[in-house]
Amino acid sequence: MTLNQLEPQVEFEPLTTPASLAAVRTIAAEIWPQTFAPLLSPEQIPYMMNMMYAPEVMERELESGYHFELLKVDGRPAGYISYSAYEGHPDTAKLHKVYLLAEFHGRGLGQRMLDRAQQRCRELGFKSIMLAVNKGNERAMRAYRRNGFTIAEAVKVPIGGGFFMDDYLMRKAL
């Protein structure tokens, strides 16, 4: 067996139709409870899942210029990224989502996803990129810091239902 045969085949598939976004919802349904159980109440997780992943929400995002890409490893869906222009900041992209199934952690795939999002945002002409990360998500914050992101501000945004997103906004020049 050659070294190339040992390397997994990794590809990013742009999701451009409402029907194709179902793959993201399937992965999110597994990732979100695992990732956010230690950080959010049991009631807030399904509330936010519906707020962000309902088909009509994702379809509106797609129509308004959001880019969604599915990460496939050896042909299997493994994660997803989503990015768009950052409202009110014409030279800045917003990285909305970078999520990878737990079984694929530790293989450098999260780094590849982040690299891909940054590359695509540069190609789209953005000069910087912004993201929001839960203040308690230390693992994600370490990864973003390793990649040159710095905290721009702390925010606590009401999202309805008595819930808040208690995040750091992190920024990086592209």
Side-chain angles (χ1 to χ4, degrees):
M1 185 177 283
T2 68
L3 181 60
N4 287 343
Q5 290 171 313
L6 297 175
E7 287 291 316
Q9 181 170 344
V10 177
E11 63 181 309
F12 289 91
E13 177 185 326
L15 303 177
T16 58
T17 66
S20 67
L21 296 173
V24 170
R25 284 189 290 280
T26 299
I27 295 171
E30 184 175 336
I31 292 173
W32 259 74
Q34 292 174 353
T35 301
F36 292 103
L39 304 172
L40 304 175
S41 71
E43 298 80 20
Q44 188 168 347
I45 293 171
Y47 180 86
M48 289 184 70
M49 288 283 302
N50 189 55
M51 181 183 89
M52 294 190 299
Y53 293 100
E56 60 276 9
V57 170
M58 294 181 75
E59 187 171 340
R60 272 194 310 274
E61 290 174 345
L62 191 61
E63 290 169 358
S64 69
Y66 282 46
H67 300 267
F68 292 88
E69 295 190 40
L70 183 67
L71 170 70
K72 289 184 170 181
V73 177
D74 293 330
R76 290 182 47 217
Y80 56 94
I81 56 177
S82 174
Y83 49 91
S84 72
Y86 188 44
E87 191 174 326
H89 303 269
D91 288 342
T92 303
K94 174 81 184 279
L95 182 55
H96 299 283
K97 297 171 176 66
V98 181
Y99 290 104
L100 181 65
L101 288 167
E103 68 186 272
F104 294 99
H105 287 188
R107 301 183 194 180
L109 295 167
Q111 181 66 54
R112 288 179 77 167
M113 294 169 70
L114 196 52
D115 290 346
R116 170 67 176 203
Q118 292 176 90
Q119 170 199 346
R120 290 291 298 127
C121 289
R122 270 189 224 93
E123 290 169 359
L124 292 167
F126 295 107
K127 305 295 183 224
S128 65
I129 189 166
M130 181 79 83
L131 59 84
V133 60
N134 184 288
K135 289 176 184 172
N137 194 340
E138 291 293 332
R139 182 179 183 163
M141 283 191 288
R142 277 193 307 273
Y144 295 136
R145 282 189 185 107
R146 269 195 318 270
N147 280 276
F149 284 84
T150 58
I151 294 174
E153 84 182 272
V155 296
K156 190 167 184 178
V157 179
I159 58 171
F163 301 118
F164 292 85
M165 289 198 311
D166 194 12
D167 294 337
Y168 289 120
L169 296 182
M170 299 184 80
R171 170 180 235 114
K172 177 183 179 181
L174 293 173

